[in-house]
Amino acid sequence: MILTPAGGNGELGLRDVIYLALPLYHMSGSLLGIVGCLGATVVLKSKFSAGQFWEDCQEHRVTVFQYIGELCRYLVNQPPVQHGHKVRLAVGSGLRPDTWERFVRRFGPLQVLETYGLTEGNVATFNYTGQCGAVGRASWLYKHIFPFSLIRYDVTTGEPVRDAQGHCVATSPGEPGLLVAPVSQQSPFLGYAGGPELARGKLLMDVFRPGDVFFNTGDLLVCDDQGFLRFHDRTGDTFRWKGENVATTEVAEVFEALDFLQEVNVYGVTVPGHEGRAGMAALVLRPPHALDLVQLYTHVSDNLPPYARPRFLRLQVTATPTFKQHKVRMANEGFDPSTLSDPLYVLDQVVGAYLPLTPARYSALLAGDLRI
């Protein structure tokens, strides 16, 4: 955040009132939300409440608020209630395009400043133009001051693609690529607290020239022909199924168009006897809605290619307090109904429906009698 006397146009002013409902043990809440706003007024909320949010903004004359992950989605999923507010700017990261459009249409006019960055990283981007869905723009001037590149990445091997000379290959416009940034005195990588082994894999050598060193963000981004950058997926989240790459964020966006879903977490799970990983979606319902499996199947079939349709569903109760999704843990937990207490469902392609994953169907799946 940039603090100026007057504020405006993506900047914060001394007269701004910032609303912060993120945990202070989270980097976004402490470093960006508190340290980044010194000199202005910050309203701290001990726990985020979508139902109370706009009343708080009205009461405290809030002009700026900071978001992360699905916070804005929780707000647009609230029942329509008219609240006057003075919010002019929303700053944060992880706002997906469909939620972005709904949020501005319902609560605007206000500016959304979407950002991208990592606590340990040496590269950050800011979308000052307001281009929906973008995390920044790869302009010549910006890349001259804060250099970075997108390189081709093989999700099967988990490694960058290299040419015959052993160098990485830059992506073309519209092609997902691994975001990397050169390590130098101006943009160093300081590593992690603890042993040097913690930084293993975060530095790439001989990327474009012998001896150069780049920081590996672990994130896949896409740069379009106008230079706008959009988040695609995390390298560990994208998986292969039926010989195709599946981006979990793209699948989640399709699910989130359903009004009875509040949160969607998509990841890949290993299935005995099958190559790659099958898609699984953990769902949190939007109160007071119920899960409509018929509508969900129709929507998924109409909007996703066959290989990208999740084979398993897991119905959950609540999200995490930091609004982050634990894909690795949930992928390791799998889909065994005997070990998970959450309701589980499996895609039966013969019937053309999501059906309860009973112990009998689970056994049939392992035996190869249930096709996924």
Side-chain angles (χ1 to χ4, degrees), residues 30-291:
S30 56
L31 293 182
L32 297 181
I34 297 296
V35 177
C37 300
L38 293 179
T41 300
V42 179
V43 176
L44 294 178
K45 183 77 172 182
S46 60
K47 183 179 181 182
F48 173 73
S49 168
Q52 188 70 31
F53 178 84
W54 292 112
E55 293 182 11
D56 288 344
C57 289
Q58 190 174 27
E59 177 183 352
H60 299 290
R61 304 177 69 84
V62 171
T63 58
V64 179
F65 81 90
Q66 188 180 355
Y67 64 85
I68 188 173
E70 298 300 294
L71 188 149
C72 291
R73 178 172 298 280
Y74 299 154
L75 293 176
V76 297
N77 282 338
Q78 286 293 298
V81 177
Q82 194 64 35
H83 289 300
H85 67 83
K86 298 182 180 296
V87 176
R88 64 173 182 84
L89 177 65
V91 183
S93 60
L95 182 56
R96 290 171 176 158
D98 61 321
T99 303
W100 190 324
E101 293 176 353
R102 292 169 59 199
F103 186 84
V104 174
R105 185 168 58 246
R106 180 168 170 183
F107 302 115
L110 53 79
Q111 180 184 358
V112 174
L113 179 59
E114 175 78 0
T115 67
Y116 169 86
L118 299 166
T119 305
E120 75 279 22
N122 64 347
V123 59
T125 62
F126 303 86
N127 179 5
Y128 284 107
T129 67
Q131 179 77 10
C132 182
V135 299
R137 195 171 191 179
S139 66
W140 175 87
L141 178 60
Y142 190 89
K143 291 189 70 174
H144 178 72
I145 301 174
F146 305 104
F148 63 86
S149 298
L150 295 181
I151 59 175
R152 289 180 176 170
Y153 181 82
D154 188 334
V155 299
T156 304
T157 62
E159 298 290 340
V161 175
R162 294 184 181 263
D163 60 19
Q165 288 71 43
H167 298 148
C168 296
V169 182
T171 59
S172 302
E175 179 185 5
L178 177 65
L179 177 65
V180 297
V183 176
S184 64
Q185 288 185 338
Q186 292 74 31
S187 55
F189 171 64
L190 302 178
Y192 302 93
E197 69 278 0
L198 297 176
R200 187 176 298 118
K202 301 306 294 184
L203 294 179
L204 297 175
M205 313 296 180
D206 306 325
V207 174
F208 295 116
R209 295 185 305 274
D212 64 12
V213 181
F214 277 66
F215 172 71
N216 174 9
T217 66
D219 290 329
L220 300 174
L221 275 68
V222 175
C223 183
D224 64 22
D225 53 8
Q226 294 181 306
F228 287 108
L229 294 163
R230 290 175 169 80
F231 184 83
H232 183 71
D233 213 358
R234 305 203 182 279
T235 54
D237 294 345
T238 294
F239 57 89
R240 285 183 70 81
W241 178 252
K242 303 295 184 182
E244 301 283 352
N245 294 340
V246 181
T248 60
T249 54
E250 293 181 354
V251 177
E253 285 179 12
V254 170
F255 271 75
E256 288 165 351
L258 294 166
D259 59 5
F260 57 83
L261 296 180
Q262 176 173 288
E263 182 176 331
V264 180
N265 183 7
V266 179
Y267 47 95
V269 292
T270 57
V271 182
H274 293 75
E275 294 291 333
R277 289 189 288 163
M280 186 167 184
L283 312 176
V284 177
L285 294 176
R286 172 188 170 191
H289 295 271
L291 180 62

Side-chain angles (χ1 to χ4, degrees), residues 337-356:
S338 68
T339 60
L340 294 175
S341 59
D342 294 331
L344 301 172
Y345 303 89
V346 62
L347 175 61
D348 190 320
Q349 298 191 101
V350 176
V351 177
Y354 281 105
L355 303 176

